[in-house]
Amino acid sequence: VQLQASGGGLVQAGGSLRLSCVASGRIFSVPAMNWYRQAPGKQRAWVADITTGGSPNYADSVKGRYTISRDNAKNTLYLQMDALKPEDTAVYYCNMYVSESRYQSPRAYWGQGTLVTVSS
């Protein structure tokens, strides 16, 4: 299983970006999907998650500005980021828990990261 993240870039404060993460390979189910981010000099931090049923959760720092969503048919995860702030600058990583068959427990996989830079 491989995850490919895309959509990062340079944006001015107040702007928007949409990140995508596509999973490929042998996939039976993906019960949970997450976005994390790692700012310069800081540890990786959880941003948002969404389950198969679609219930999202957000870190307080992004609540009301970010929207996580998923397309189960395409094994794709999205993160719509609005009202971006300079402190949102980070490498964003997608994370998925994937079962390759009905007999396998979910395993964690990570994308390669995509850089988001917000200028003031």
Side-chain angles (χ1 to χ4, degrees):
V1 176
Q2 292 186 327
L3 305 186
Q4 180 68 45
S6 61
L10 174 63
V11 64
Q12 288 188 331
S16 299
L17 282 175
R18 189 192 194 207
L19 306 183
S20 300
C21 178
V22 181
S24 60
R26 186 178 178 187
I27 299 170
F28 174 74
S29 67
V30 189
M33 297 181 175
N34 300 270
W35 285 102
Y36 286 77
R37 68 184 181 185
Q38 187 166 15
K42 295 187 177 180
Q43 291 187 329
R44 191 173 300 187
W46 171 78
V47 173
D49 66 40
I50 187 167
T51 61
T52 304
S55 298
N57 296 285
Y58 300 94
D60 288 343
S61 59
V62 306
K63 200 172 293 183
R65 299 187 298 120
Y66 288 14
T67 303
I68 189 171
S69 62
R70 58 187 286 172
D71 185 330
N72 294 326
K74 297 180 179 179
N75 293 317
T76 301
L77 174 66
Y78 302 99
L79 187 68
Q80 177 66 41
M81 305 184 294
D82 298 317
L84 282 162
K85 306 175 181 179
E87 51 263 45
D88 294 320
T89 295
V91 177
Y92 284 70
Y93 297 90
C94 55
N95 161 260
M96 298 187 187
Y97 285 84
V98 180
S99 293
E100 297 183 29
S101 75
R102 65 175 66 248
Y103 307 109
Q104 183 194 67
S105 297
R107 299 177 182 174
Y109 293 89
W110 291 88
Q112 83 285 7
T114 184
L115 177 62
V116 172
T117 304
V118 184
S119 62
S120 57

